[in-house]
Structures are given as C-alpha cells and as structure tokens.
Amino acid sequence: MKKFTLAIIVALAASLAVAQGPGGRPGGPPGGPGGQGGPGGRGRMDPKAQLDMLTKMLSLTPAQVKQVSALQASRKADMDKLRAAPGDRKSKGPQMMKLRDAFNASLKKILKKDQMAKFEKMQAEMRARRGGPGGPGGPGGPGGRPGGPGGPGGPPKAGGI
C-alpha cells in the first residue's frame, strides 16, 4: 500500500509540480524545514525519481523512458521560466495549468492506452485523497483537507458545520 501511495504521489508530482514555487514554502530553503523535500514542505520529487517511479508503475519501455525524460526536461525548462517571470503564483496559475495539460497531452502520445489509463487513475486517486477539484474539500466537494477547516482533525468550517 505504501508503494502504491508513493507511486501516486510521484505521478501527481510529475503533472502537478506546476503549482509549487521554488523552494517549497516561502522562506524555506530546498531540503530544509518548509523547503522543497524538507519537513513541512511539499516534497516535490526530482525528475529522475519521478521517472524511476513512472517506469516501475507503468512498466515503461526503454524508448518510452527516453521520451518521458525529454518531455520532463522540456516541462521543467518551461516551468522554471514561468516561475522566474514577474507576478505572483496565483496569477501564474492558468499558465501553469496549460503547461500541465500540454505535458499530459504529450504523455498520452507516448504511453500505451493501458498505461495512460493507469496514470490517469493514479492522478484521480491522488486528487481525491488531497481534496482537489471535485473531491472532498475541493470546489463542489464536501468537507475539507485533513487538519484544515472542516477536515478531519481540523477546526470546523466558518459559519457552523
């Protein structure tokens, strides 16, 4: 179960890393508290680790590994450029979503149908677990994130229930 959960995290990190700015939480150095990969940080995996996990979980062929690696490098360059551009994270959100969608569309051309179905399933499960759009705590979903307002272990939502 832990390997499956880790695989889901890696797959989503590959497609959702766009939502995270450099260095994890503001003020946290990479690898330090609140920083990238550090305690309290979002723990974004490096592209090599992501590729290794996708290779194992989706049984990628050597040719697919090369293609996905090149795709990751291209996405990383685009994301780095976007992160360095002026503006706050919120204003860059739509552009980040476009990059993620473009990555997924390109990935769909590389993966076989059964591999893509497995990848999409892993993404959907992770979104549901973390309370993403349409899931618990997301827009249109009940509750909240664990430890957050309305979620298990968190304070009640404002306004009552």
Side-chain angles (χ1 to χ4, degrees):
M1 184 65 184
K2 285 184 181 182
K3 285 184 180 182
F4 181 72
T5 302
L6 181 59
I8 291 171
I9 291 170
V10 170
L12 279 177
S15 65
L16 299 178
V18 297
Q20 179 65 39
R25 290 186 184 165
Q36 172 179 326
R42 295 206 178 195
R44 191 172 16 146
M45 295 183 84
D46 67 90
K48 172 75 172 121
Q50 292 172 359
L51 183 61
D52 290 345
M53 187 57 72
L54 289 174
T55 300
K56 290 175 189 171
M57 294 305 298
L58 302 177
S59 303
L60 299 180
T61 66
Q64 287 175 317
V65 170
K66 279 185 174 181
Q67 291 174 305
V68 171
S69 179
L71 185 59
Q72 283 180 314
S74 173
R75 182 194 57 201
K76 182 182 182 318
D78 291 342
M79 287 303 303
D80 289 347
K81 191 160 83 171
L82 180 60
R83 286 185 187 113
D88 64 356
R89 217 170 79 185
K90 187 175 182 178
S91 69
K92 295 177 186 179
Q95 294 166 297
M96 291 180 172
M97 296 289 276
K98 284 182 184 178
L99 290 175
R100 185 199 67 197
D101 292 343
F103 176 84
N104 286 345
S106 296
L107 191 61
K108 192 172 188 172
K109 294 175 185 174
I110 296 169
L111 299 179
K112 297 174 187 172
K113 285 184 181 183
D114 62 318
Q115 291 171 316
M116 192 63 192
K118 191 172 184 178
F119 178 75
E120 289 172 343
K121 181 181 177 190
M122 289 173 8
Q123 285 185 313
E125 289 172 353
M126 187 52 141
R127 275 191 300 267
R129 283 188 29 172
R130 70 173 177 80
R145 292 185 181 181
K157 285 185 180 179
I161 305 174

